[in-house]
Amino acid sequence: AQTVTQSQPEMSVQEAETVTLSCTYDTSESDYYLFWYKQPPSRQMILVIRQEAYKQQNATENRFSVNFQKAAKSFSLKISDSQLGDAAMYFCAYRRSNFGNEKLTFGTGTRLTIIP
Amino acid sequence: DGGITQSPKYLFRKEGQNVTLSCEQNLNHDAMYWYRQDPGQGLRLIYYSQIVNDFQKGDIAEGYSVSREKKESFPLTVTSAQKNPTAFYLCASSPGDSNQPQHFGDGTRLSIL
């Protein structure tokens, strides 16, 4: 069974600084997707970024980027120029294949605090 | 606007009572999912359905039941067999034939009276 591990229950960063959230996963599959979701206090789940396993290039979305290390099964999220609105729970998630109807496996989350 | 609607936002259950959480989507997605979220445990999959009239158990299906009679709807019943139902419940959906991510509703908070 696939597992996703987020070893940092809480992180904090000064506003405008950069922070990296860690995620590791375990799978025997070769094709899969990885996701980072953000859950602000409103508890809505918002997709931040996604990475296809067959792509070597790391995904980027504005201030958010990932460091995908397939051999190490590592998928970290870097947030640059942190803003107060980035404060939230961040969940790493794995999906077995590139079909949209496959279930997600989530990590336990990292609570990110932004210090003004 | 297209999206996923969960209702009610807050729900209270008495001991021994079954309750049903509603999830409706107008995104024309084939697949739908129910997750349970507890503090410090992330999201855990209860049930999912990849197509109408078919569904599969997730990791924590005991004490829950679902139906998928319509593409748009995937209600979750929390039965009296679920001994610790207090949690936040999230419904999600995704297209069945593309590489698009799951979209989530705003959730239902269930508490025991």
Side-chain angles (χ1 to χ4, degrees), chain A:
Chain A
Q2 292 82 20
T3 59
V4 178
T5 302
Q6 292 180 250
S7 59
Q8 305 156 314
E10 296 183 352
M11 292 282 285
S12 61
V13 64
Q14 293 276 353
E15 191 177 2
E17 296 296 311
T18 295
V19 64
T20 298
L21 308 183
S22 301
C23 173
T24 59
Y25 59 94
D26 185 26
T27 183
S28 58
E29 304 286 338
S30 57
D31 289 331
Y32 50 88
Y33 270 73
L34 296 163
F35 304 86
W36 279 99
Y37 280 89
K38 169 185 176 181
Q39 189 180 44
S42 66
R43 306 203 75 170
Q44 185 181 16
M45 293 290 284
I46 302 166
L47 178 69
V48 175
I49 199 166
R50 62 179 170 171
Q51 174 78 43
E52 298 93 327
Y54 65 87
K55 288 187 177 180
Q56 292 186 337
Q57 186 174 6
N58 290 324
T60 62
E61 288 287 344
N62 300 316
R63 298 182 296 107
F64 299 88
S65 62
V66 299
N67 183 6
F68 174 51
Q69 301 290 329
K70 191 173 184 179
K73 297 180 181 176
S74 172
F75 181 61
S76 60
L77 174 70
K78 185 171 81 171
I79 306 174
S80 304
D81 185 26
S82 298
Q83 302 176 358
L84 294 177
D86 295 333
M89 284 289 290
Y90 285 83
F91 293 97
C92 178
Y94 166 98
R95 191 175 72 199
R96 189 181 65 167
S97 74
N98 62 355
F99 290 99
N101 60 359
E102 287 287 336
K103 61 182 182 178
L104 288 173
T105 300
F106 285 87
T108 52
T110 297
R111 182 176 302 281
L112 178 64
T113 300
I114 310 297
I115 303 168

Side-chain angles (χ1 to χ4, degrees), chain B residues 35-94:
Chain B
Y35 295 92
R36 170 178 171 143
Q37 186 176 19
D38 296 281
Q41 295 195 44
L43 278 70
R44 294 182 291 168
L45 183 66
I46 305 172
Y47 268 98
Y48 66 109
S49 168
Q50 295 176 317
I51 197 168
V52 176
N53 293 321
D54 186 46
F55 49 83
Q56 291 81 40
K57 291 182 179 180
D59 301 317
I60 54 166
E62 185 176 353
Y64 299 97
S65 66
V66 293
S67 63
R68 187 84 187 279
E69 298 177 0
K70 299 186 299 182
K71 189 175 186 178
E72 304 80 27
S73 179
F74 191 42
L76 173 73
T77 296
V78 184
T79 74
S80 57
Q82 172 50 243
K83 297 307 178 186
N84 185 23
T86 297
F88 187 65
Y89 292 86
L90 281 160
C91 177
S93 70
S94 64

